[in-house]
């Protein structure tokens, strides 16, 4: 192995790794797999100023207050809840298309 090839190899590995990361992100976007990640990002932005977030997240005590009927629910949906809600919406949404 020549000294030149040994010094360029880590850069090539990095470029390949970066290309694979970009390809994976694109694939996840195309297949819809990244929808939950985008939901969590949007939820964090929209609820950043919520007074019920002492540690940057909604606490379980807040959820129990909702269960008692005192205030609306806070906290993002779990991944399972998100996908179920998305499937439910797709089933009930009225299509205006021809098919």
């Amino acid at each position: 192995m020549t000294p030149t090839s040994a010094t360029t190899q880590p850069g090539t590995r990095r470029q390949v790794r970066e290309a694979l990361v970009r390809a994976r992100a694109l694939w996840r976007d195309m297949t819809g797999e990244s929808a939950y990640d985008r939901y969590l990002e949007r939820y964090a932005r929209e609820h950043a100023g919520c007074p019920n977030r002492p540690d940057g997240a909604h606490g379980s005590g807040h959820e129990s207050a909702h269960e008692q009927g005192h205030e609306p629910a806070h906290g993002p949906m779990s991944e399972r809840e998100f996908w179920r809600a998305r499937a439910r919406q797709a089933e009930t949404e009225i299509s205006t298309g021809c098919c």
Side-chain angles (χ1 to χ4, degrees):
M1 185 181 284
T2 64
T4 308
S5 65
T7 58
T8 59
Q9 194 171 13
T12 303
R13 286 184 190 161
R14 182 178 49 82
Q15 289 174 341
V16 169
R17 194 175 319 123
E18 289 171 358
L20 289 173
V21 167
R22 286 191 307 271
R24 182 175 186 268
L26 178 62
W27 179 257
R28 292 184 77 234
D29 286 344
M30 288 184 344
T31 61
E33 186 181 346
S34 63
Y36 183 68
D37 296 336
R38 289 192 314 271
Y39 160 74
L40 289 177
E41 291 168 2
R42 185 180 69 243
Y43 186 89
R45 276 192 316 273
E46 292 176 1
H47 296 273
C50 180
N52 299 306
R53 295 180 56 147
D55 62 348
H58 295 287
S60 60
H62 192 67
E63 299 261 344
S64 64
H66 165 65
E67 292 170 0
Q68 297 168 3
H70 297 310
E71 53 192 70
H74 281 285
M77 289 184 274
S78 69
E79 188 168 2
R80 176 176 280 195
E81 292 168 331
F82 172 81
W83 289 113
R84 284 184 178 168
R86 187 172 164 144
R88 197 170 29 255
Q89 180 184 8
E91 290 173 0
T92 59
E93 206 170 80
I94 298 172
S95 175
T96 59
C98 66
C99 301

